[in-house]
Amino acid sequence: EAQVTQNPRYLITVTGKKLTVTCSQNMNHEYMSWYRQDPGLGLRQIYYSMNVEVTDKGDVPEGYKVSRKEKRNFPLILESPSPNQTSLYFCASTSEGQPQHFGDGTRLSIL
Amino acid sequence: AQTVTQSQPEMSVQEAETVTLSCTYDTSENNYYLFWYKQPPSRQMILVIRQEAYKQQNATENRFSVNFQKAAKSFSLKISDSQLGDTAMYFCAFMKLINTGTASKLTFGTGTRLQVTL
């Protein structure tokens, strides 16, 4: 089954404690991205990757890092999380202009 | 930069009735895709329908259809015979084509919360 898998689904943590949200896809897609969803703002792109070792900033990259060492994985790293990063996060993948496949979302709460 | 506007934060429709959700966008691109995504309470992002900008024919998927007006930069979603399971947040999204076949980011509107009532 084609899917994008995010972990964890839920996380409550404290300010400053580094965390990583993993994302893995099994469709051999070149393009992967991270979005955050906030009430009244829709989804906004954080970072994206066109292929292995190729990443770039999206619209709201501050406070986040990513890496793309393998084609299937695209982790999102919060080195020093802050409360304004409390949000719902989605990983997505796609290829050649196809609709993006989304993971099921990760709800992050940073206290 | 592209922008997507959904001017209806909330809408309500009775079961079996028809409802139209509006979406407008602003772009200088000529080649792009438009999408409607549904987000039910489970939070999943589910693709409802997509439209290629070069196609004049409006896309249709069962009870869902769009009215794509390229010159007006309008992309509305019509849901016919509404069902309780259609209750969800609906997002309009734009994706430009960087090069032939190359994927790029989705730019989303702020969403319309649709409630289907008995």
Side-chain angles (χ1 to χ4, degrees):
Chain A
E1 179 189 353
Q3 58 185 2
V4 177
T5 303
Q6 291 178 231
N7 281 296
R9 294 292 311 281
Y10 303 89
L11 179 62
I12 301 174
T13 188
V14 295
T15 299
K17 186 176 181 181
K18 180 180 178 179
L19 67 91
T20 299
V21 184
T22 63
C23 174
S24 180
Q25 51 94 4
N26 63 359
M27 295 164 281
N28 202 38
H29 285 162
E30 295 85 19
Y31 188 96
M32 297 186 73
S33 60
W34 278 100
Y35 296 85
R36 61 177 287 174
Q37 181 181 356
D38 301 291
L41 296 177
L43 284 79
R44 295 174 293 168
Q45 191 183 53
I46 303 170
Y47 266 95
Y48 66 96
S49 170
M50 302 283 281
N51 215 322
V52 176
E53 301 292 359
V54 181
T55 63
D56 207 347
K57 297 177 181 179
D59 297 321
V60 288
E62 293 77 20
Y64 304 94
K65 287 176 58 177
V66 294
S67 68
R68 188 89 181 274
K69 297 177 182 176
E70 306 166 282
K71 197 170 187 179
R72 63 184 291 123
N73 296 323
F74 189 48
L76 179 70
I77 303 159
L78 285 71
E79 294 268 3
S80 183
S82 62
N84 64 10
Q85 293 177 299
T86 292
S87 188
L88 176 60
Y89 291 84
F90 286 98
C91 180
S93 74
T94 187
S95 183
E96 296 187 7
Q98 297 176 12
Q100 300 206 9
H101 294 254
F102 284 85
D104 288 340
T106 296
R107 173 75 69 186
L108 279 184
S109 295
I110 300 165
L111 306 177
Chain B
Q2 286 69 231
T3 59
V4 177
T5 301
Q6 293 179 250
S7 59
Q8 304 152 315
E10 294 183 353
M11 293 192 72
S12 181
V13 63
Q14 285 192 319
E15 198 176 23
E17 297 297 308
T18 295
V19 63
T20 298
L21 310 184
S22 66
C23 172
T24 58
Y25 59 96
D26 188 24
T27 185
S28 58
E29 304 289 334
N30 194 46
N31 295 319
Y32 52 88
Y33 289 91
L34 294 163
F35 304 91
W36 279 98
Y37 281 89
K38 170 184 177 181
Q39 187 180 45
S42 65
R43 301 187 331 224
Q44 290 178 300
M45 292 293 289
I46 302 167
L47 178 67
V48 174
I49 200 165
R50 84 175 203 173
Q51 175 80 44
E52 292 89 344
Y54 66 87
K55 289 187 178 179
Q56 292 186 341
Q57 186 173 7
N58 289 323
T60 300
E61 287 286 344
N62 301 314
R63 298 182 295 105
F64 299 88
S65 62
V66 298
N67 183 2
F68 173 49
Q69 301 290 329
K70 191 173 183 180
K73 296 179 182 174
S74 171
F75 183 61
S76 61
L77 174 70
K78 185 171 82 171
I79 306 174
S80 304
D81 186 24
S82 297
Q83 301 175 359
L84 295 177
D86 295 335
T87 293
M89 179 75 88
Y90 286 82
F91 290 100
C92 178
F94 171 101
M95 184 176 79
K96 72 177 182 179
L97 290 178
I98 300 174
N99 296 304
T100 302
T102 303
S104 70
K105 75 171 185 179
L106 286 167
T107 299
F108 286 88
T110 53
T112 296
R113 188 173 300 280
L114 177 67
Q115 180 72 47
V116 181
T117 60
L118 291 171

